[in-house]
């Protein structure tokens, strides 16, 4: 087990055989240390989703290695990958993706159900997490009885229930208004401060700026990695290892832009 | 993941589509209900029929001679071949408790106190044991050689003034000849005492074969002697007795009376005893020493069966009917299975996203498979249980309506639930397999 590293990608390439081969990821090297908070930004088609799928053990790379929680994802069969995903990765989705017929409590407890953990223990754990995300009084509500912000907090609680090595959030505030977005992102900060490794994919600069660093993807490659200080400003940025072209001249412009979301 | 958890989740999704689930299970409900209802009725009917056979009757063997190709119930195609000698030989066998002849005698009317009621085929001549003690309500069995009779309630109640034990009854035979008998007993029911009579209620007068039958044969013999062609007199099968008379070429006597059937009493209702009595009796009757064997030839064969065995024929018809209904029910179950499979496929498509979520949070393929399979099985079991309840209710109503004792076929209830599970598994397998194979990446993107 690589101590200190939650996820590492080495020379990762993912090719989809469509009409002609499409390189969704084209030689990516990235290391996500334990306890870090990383944001991934990039325009549509830059490979963000593919990267998420790989880190989330939903997919395997065409070339290179993806190591999650010390295990090479490419070496695992489907069942082992599912187990790894269930125990080491927590997902938060833009559309919340709660089970519509299960209560908040049952939704949070669901991942542990598939780990074969007993009902009593599951519910205790789920209750504890729902308390922590501030939904102690909404446990028996159905998702359609909860607001968007509340649903996303249930989703976050569910992502954390198995004590994952990493929490993957895909546009977590995409369907939320500004106020609830801030609440949810504050929760992310809170869990990060408590030691959880966070990886957030977003279009929005102000969401990404909560992270410690921002990985900019472009055309399946890491364009640059931007380290942020506490305030979210960008003191310096370093080019990605396999970056084919030098984007130094335009990053200031991007950093200054408040509406990077639509790029 | 445990079965109980599967069940809980499956129940949740079934509960969220109540109408749809109810309609889906309808095919199963109808199929199972049809089977259970008819099996209940069949078992009740069987119990009702077998219940008519009293324990004392279970050791009786009923024998008659007929063309082996004749189809039908007791006495179908029977020819009178047994003589008094034959009966005595069988009666003396060690394996046999008693043997006596049986002969229905045609009548014209019955009279009591000068009141005449027309009545055909009311007279039955047999041995005293034919009136089993447990069937006598009042009085006693008739005795051989005496002018005595046992009547059933239908006869007793036929006259303005009820006939009771000790009364005289006049029997008018086909030829107009009148005989009087003393009523010595009345049976408890008007249903037949043996499969020979059939079980339906009808007025009957039971008399000893001697003197009533032997006397009548004398009469016929005399008739032939006179050459007046009155050969219909005997009714029943007695005219078939004539060849015997011709062979002997002498007037028929009591010894020459041929009986249509023989009743052999085994020492007990035990299968072994019954078989032994049957074998011994048949051995005697079919041997060259017996009078019956003269007439058997190649055309006739003696059938000797207990009431239970005779009822088996009726049972066979019931079984055939039941198989027919089960066949229809099976079609209903197939249609029901297709319904469940169809709804499960719709459900899998509808819940693609949920499948994606479950897989993202660590559900294995077999978990997803198990979940959908459980749902189909739960639908099947619900259908089976509701169908069973409905079927039992219909069977109960039917049994009550035709007034037979209700027998619940418990093994079929268990079978119904098993069928429900089987139907669920078969119809859920493919949809569940489809669900399990869903790619989580696509499923999460599915709108």
């Amino acid at each position: 087990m690589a101590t200190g590293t939650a996820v590492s990608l080495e020379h990762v390439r993912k090719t989809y055989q469509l009409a002609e081969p499409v390189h969704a990821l084209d030689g990516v090297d990235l290391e996500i240390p334990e306890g870090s908070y990383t944001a991934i930004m990039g325009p549509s088609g830059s490979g963000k989703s593919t990267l998420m799928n790989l880190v989330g053990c939903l997919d395997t790379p065409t070339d290179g290695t993806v190591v999650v929680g010390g295990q090479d994802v490419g070496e695992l069969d489907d069942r082992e990958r599912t187990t790894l995903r269930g125990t080491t990765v927590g997902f938060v989705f833009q559309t919340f993706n709660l089970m519509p017929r299960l209560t908040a409590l049952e939704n949070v407890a669901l991942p542990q159900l598939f780990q074969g953990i007993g009902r009593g223990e599951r519910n205790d754990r789920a209750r504890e997490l729902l308390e922590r995300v501030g939904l102690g009084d909404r446990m028996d509500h159905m998702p359609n009885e909860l607001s968007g912000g509340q649903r996303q907090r249930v989703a976050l609680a569910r992502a954390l229930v198995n004590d994952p090595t990493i929490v993957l959030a895909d546009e977590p505030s995409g369907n939320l208004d500004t106020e609830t977005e801030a609440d949810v992102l504050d929760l992310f900060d809170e869990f990060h401060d408590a030691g959880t490794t966070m990886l957030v994919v977003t279009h929005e600069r102000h969401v990404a700026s909560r992270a410690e660093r921002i990985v900019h993807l472009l055309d399946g490659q890491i364009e640059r990695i931007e380290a942020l200080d506490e305030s979210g400003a960008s003191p310096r940025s370093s080019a990605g290892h396999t970056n084919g072209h030098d984007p130094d001249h335009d990053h200031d412009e991007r950093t200054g832009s408040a509406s990077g979301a639509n790029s | 993941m445990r079965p109980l958890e599967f069940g809980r989740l499956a129940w949740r999704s079934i509960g969220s589509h109540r109408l749809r689930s109810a309609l889906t299970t309808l095919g199963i409900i109808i199929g199972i209900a049809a089977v259970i209802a008819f099996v209940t009725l069949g078992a009740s009917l069987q119990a009702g029929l077998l219940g008519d056979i009293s324990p004392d009757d279970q050791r009786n063997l009923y024998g008659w001679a007929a063309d082996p190709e004749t189809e039908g119930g007791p006495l179908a195609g029977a020819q009178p071949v047994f003589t008094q000698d034959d009966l005595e030989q069988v009666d003396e066998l060690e394996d046999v408790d008693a043997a006596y002849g049986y002969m229905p005698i045609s009548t014209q009317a019955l009279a009591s106190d000068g009141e005449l009621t027309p009545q055909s085929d009311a007279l039955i001549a047999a041995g005293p044991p034919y009136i089993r003690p447990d069937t006598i309500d009042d009085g006693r069995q008739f005795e051989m050689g005496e002018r005595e009779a046992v009547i059933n309630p239908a006869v007793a109640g036929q006259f303005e003034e009820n006939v009771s034990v000790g009364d005289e009854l006049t029997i008018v035979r086909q030829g107009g000849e009148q005989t009087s008998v003393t009523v010595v007993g009345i049976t408890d029911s008007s249903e037949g005492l043996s499969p020979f009579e059939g079980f339906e209620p009808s007025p009957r007068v039971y008399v000893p074969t001697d003197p009533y039958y032997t006397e009548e044969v004398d009469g016929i013999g005399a008739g032939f002697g006179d050459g007046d062609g009155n050969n219909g007199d005997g009714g029943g099968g007695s005219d078939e007795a004539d060849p015997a008379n011709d062979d002997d070429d002498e007037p028929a006597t009591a010894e020459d009376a041929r009986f249509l059937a023989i009743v052999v009493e085994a020492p007990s209702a035990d299968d072994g005893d019954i078989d032994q009595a049957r074998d011994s009796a048949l051995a005697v009757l079919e041997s060259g020493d017996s009078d019956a064997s003269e007439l058997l030839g190649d055309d006739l064969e003696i059938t000797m069966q207990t009431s239970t065995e005779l009822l088996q024929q009726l049972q066979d018809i019931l079984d055939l009917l039941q198989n027919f209904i089960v066949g229809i029910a099976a079609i209903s179950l197939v249609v029901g299975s297709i319904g469940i499979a169809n709804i499960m496929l719709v459900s899998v498509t509808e819940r693609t996203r949920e499948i994606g979520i479950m897989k993202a949070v660590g559900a294995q393929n077999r978990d997803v498979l198990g979940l959908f399979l459980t749902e189909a099985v739960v639908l099947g079991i619900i259908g089976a249980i509701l169908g069973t309840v409905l079927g039992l209710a219909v069977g109960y109503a039917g049994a009550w309506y035709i007034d037979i004792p209700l027998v619940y076929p418990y093994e079929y209830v268990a079978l119904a639930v098993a069928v429900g599970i089987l139907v669920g598994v078969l119809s859920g397998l493919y949809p569940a397999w489809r669900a399990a194979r869903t790619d989580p990446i696509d499923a999460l993107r599915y709108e």
Side-chain angles (χ1 to χ4, degrees):
Chain A
M1 180 125 185
T3 48
T5 305
V7 174
S8 74
L9 290 82
E10 269 178 63
H11 313 304
V12 169
R13 186 189 299 268
K14 181 71 186 177
T15 309
Y16 292 111
Q17 295 295 336
L18 302 176
E20 54 189 65
V22 174
H23 302 291
L25 284 182
D26 195 2
V28 169
D29 290 282
L30 182 65
E31 196 152 300
I32 299 170
E34 272 177 12
S36 66
Y37 191 161
T38 309
I40 294 180
M41 292 189 74
S44 294
S46 60
K48 298 193 302 290
S49 298
T50 306
L51 187 69
M52 283 291 280
N53 290 343
L54 289 174
V55 175
C57 309
L58 288 166
D59 212 345
T60 50
T62 313
D63 281 313
T65 53
V66 176
V67 178
V68 178
Q71 287 192 276
D72 186 344
V73 177
E75 297 290 305
L76 303 177
D77 65 21
D78 189 54
R79 179 184 293 194
E80 292 166 330
R81 240 182 323 123
T82 304
T83 306
L84 184 65
R85 178 165 69 235
T87 51
T88 61
V89 183
F91 286 93
V92 176
F93 302 95
Q94 177 175 1
T95 51
F96 321 130
N97 277 345
L98 298 179
M99 299 289 280
R101 281 184 291 270
L102 300 184
T103 63
L105 187 76
E106 288 166 328
N107 262 291
V108 175
L110 189 66
Q112 292 207 321
L113 172 75
F114 296 120
Q115 300 306 322
I117 294 169
R119 197 165 138 86
E121 193 184 337
R122 269 187 349 240
N123 287 352
D124 288 347
R125 171 75 174 148
R127 252 181 232 114
E128 174 198 330
L129 278 163
L130 280 172
E131 300 273 4
R132 278 181 69 186
V133 299
L135 291 174
D137 56 342
R138 292 280 189 278
M139 294 195 196
D140 295 322
H141 284 57
M142 290 292 175
N144 61 10
E145 297 165 342
L146 299 172
S147 72
Q150 288 169 333
R151 288 187 212 184
Q152 199 59 302
R153 280 189 275 165
V154 173
L156 180 60
R158 182 180 65 188
L160 291 162
V161 75
N162 273 335
D163 246 328
T165 310
I166 187 167
V167 170
L168 284 180
D170 188 2
E171 301 281 5
S173 60
N175 280 16
L176 300 179
D177 61 50
T178 325
E179 204 174 316
T180 45
E181 174 184 63
D183 288 345
V184 168
L185 294 179
D186 285 347
L187 264 179
F188 277 34
D189 286 346
E190 207 179 303
F191 282 104
H192 171 237
D193 289 343
T196 307
T197 313
M198 306 290 291
L199 181 63
V200 177
V201 173
T202 182
H203 276 108
E204 313 221 30
R205 175 73 205 182
H206 71 273
V207 173
S209 65
R210 295 233 180 188
E212 294 165 341
R213 57 175 186 155
I214 302 174
V215 176
H216 291 271
L217 279 182
L218 189 67
D219 297 334
Q221 294 181 323
I222 293 178
E223 184 191 27
R224 65 198 165 89
I225 295 176
E226 179 185 351
L228 305 173
D229 62 18
E230 280 296 305
S231 65
S234 169
R236 65 190 171 79
S237 64
S238 59
H241 304 284
T242 59
N243 198 348
H245 44 90
D246 184 4
D248 267 357
H249 62 279
D250 66 4
H251 88 261
D252 285 338
E253 194 185 322
R254 278 175 183 274
T255 319
S257 161
S259 61
N262 298 326
S263 56
Chain B
M1 210 171 120
R2 295 155 226 214
L4 194 67
E5 311 277 11
F6 282 133
R8 210 193 305 273
L9 284 176
W11 183 250
R12 195 68 67 83
S13 58
I14 288 170
S16 65
H17 292 115
R18 274 194 200 101
L19 180 63
R20 187 162 93 179
S21 306
L23 291 175
T24 305
T25 53
L26 211 52
I28 309 295
I29 293 176
I30 292 172
I32 300 267
V35 174
I36 294 288
F38 277 88
V39 166
T40 304
L41 276 179
S44 299
L45 207 51
Q46 188 184 1
L49 289 174
L50 293 180
D52 283 341
I53 303 174
S54 73
D56 277 350
D57 185 24
Q58 284 172 10
R59 62 188 179 130
N60 287 354
L61 281 158
Y62 296 92
W64 69 95
D67 186 331
E69 282 173 28
T70 312
E71 303 229 344
L75 289 186
Q79 309 294 343
V81 296
F82 309 107
T83 64
Q84 192 64 39
D85 268 358
D86 294 346
L87 298 176
E88 275 161 21
Q89 276 194 56
V90 174
D91 191 41
E92 278 157 21
L93 287 171
E94 221 172 275
D95 304 327
V96 172
D97 256 20
Y100 49 88
Y102 172 93
M103 193 72 214
I105 299 171
S106 289
T107 53
Q108 270 188 354
L110 298 174
S112 165
D113 266 351
E115 187 191 347
L116 202 72
T117 51
Q119 194 69 62
S120 66
D121 300 320
L123 202 57
I124 286 158
Y130 188 76
I131 313 295
R132 295 184 303 276
D134 65 321
T135 63
I136 300 176
D137 185 46
D138 190 18
R140 59 171 172 85
Q141 293 175 338
F142 52 73
E143 275 172 24
M144 203 51 116
E146 300 291 329
R147 299 203 161 263
E148 294 177 344
V150 172
I151 60 173
N152 67 16
V155 173
Q158 208 162 31
F159 302 95
E160 233 158 70
E161 203 166 315
N162 274 6
V163 179
S164 52
V165 173
D167 287 357
E168 289 282 314
L169 198 64
T170 306
I171 299 161
V172 185
R173 297 207 190 153
Q174 282 284 338
E177 183 194 341
Q178 299 196 355
T179 352
S180 65
V181 293
T182 310
V183 174
V184 295
I186 297 179
T187 60
D188 59 353
S189 121
S190 297
E191 290 171 11
L193 292 179
S194 80
F196 283 160
E197 299 170 48
F199 288 98
E200 69 281 0
S202 161
R204 292 185 184 94
V205 176
Y206 303 99
V207 292
T209 48
D210 172 34
Y212 291 96
Y213 180 51
T214 46
E215 189 176 71
E216 190 192 18
V217 172
D218 279 347
I220 296 166
F224 270 101
D226 296 346
D228 64 9
N230 195 13
N231 58 355
D233 272 7
S238 54
D239 45 0
E240 268 87 5
D242 297 343
N245 298 341
D246 293 345
D247 286 348
D248 293 340
D249 202 23
E250 61 186 60
T253 62
E255 283 69 38
D256 288 305
R258 298 255 176 187
F259 294 92
L260 188 63
I262 179 172
V263 180
V264 175
E265 262 186 43
S268 80
D270 181 64
D271 280 350
D273 282 350
I274 287 175
D275 284 343
Q276 213 160 5
R278 184 190 344 242
D279 292 346
S280 308
L282 283 176
V284 167
L285 293 171
E286 284 169 351
S287 76
D289 296 340
S290 76
D291 296 330
S293 63
E294 292 169 22
L295 297 182
L296 287 177
D298 294 334
D299 302 335
L300 302 176
E301 200 170 86
I302 298 175
T303 311
M304 198 167 277
Q305 293 183 315
T306 63
S307 295
T308 315
E309 287 162 347
L310 289 169
L311 279 178
Q312 192 59 44
Q313 290 178 324
L314 193 59
Q315 186 61 39
D316 289 346
I317 296 170
L318 274 181
D319 284 348
L320 192 71
L321 189 70
Q322 199 165 306
N323 287 345
F324 179 69
I325 298 293
V326 168
I328 291 176
I331 295 173
S332 176
L333 286 179
V334 169
V335 173
S337 311
I338 295 171
I340 292 187
N342 189 22
I343 281 303
M344 290 307 297
L345 281 175
V346 170
S347 183
V348 167
T349 311
E350 255 180 16
R351 282 146 71 191
T352 301
R353 205 173 177 54
E354 287 179 43
I355 296 167
I357 298 169
M358 288 194 288
K359 287 196 155 188
V361 301
Q364 299 286 0
N365 287 355
R366 60 188 151 87
D367 291 333
V368 178
L369 185 93
L371 203 56
F372 280 88
L373 208 52
T374 306
E375 209 171 307
V377 168
V378 168
L379 283 176
I381 293 177
I382 291 175
I385 289 175
L386 290 181
T388 303
V389 170
L390 183 65
L392 288 178
V394 170
Y396 178 84
W400 172 80
Y401 183 71
I402 56 177
D403 196 22
I404 47 177
L406 188 68
V407 175
Y408 282 126
Y410 290 107
E411 67 278 11
Y412 273 84
V413 173
L415 185 68
V417 174
V419 166
I421 294 173
L422 185 72
V423 162
V425 169
L426 288 181
S427 57
L429 214 49
Y430 175 66
W433 177 78
R434 278 256 299 254
R437 275 175 39 104
T438 304
D439 177 21
I441 298 171
D442 293 339
L444 284 169
R445 218 180 283 144
Y446 186 87
E447 291 299 331

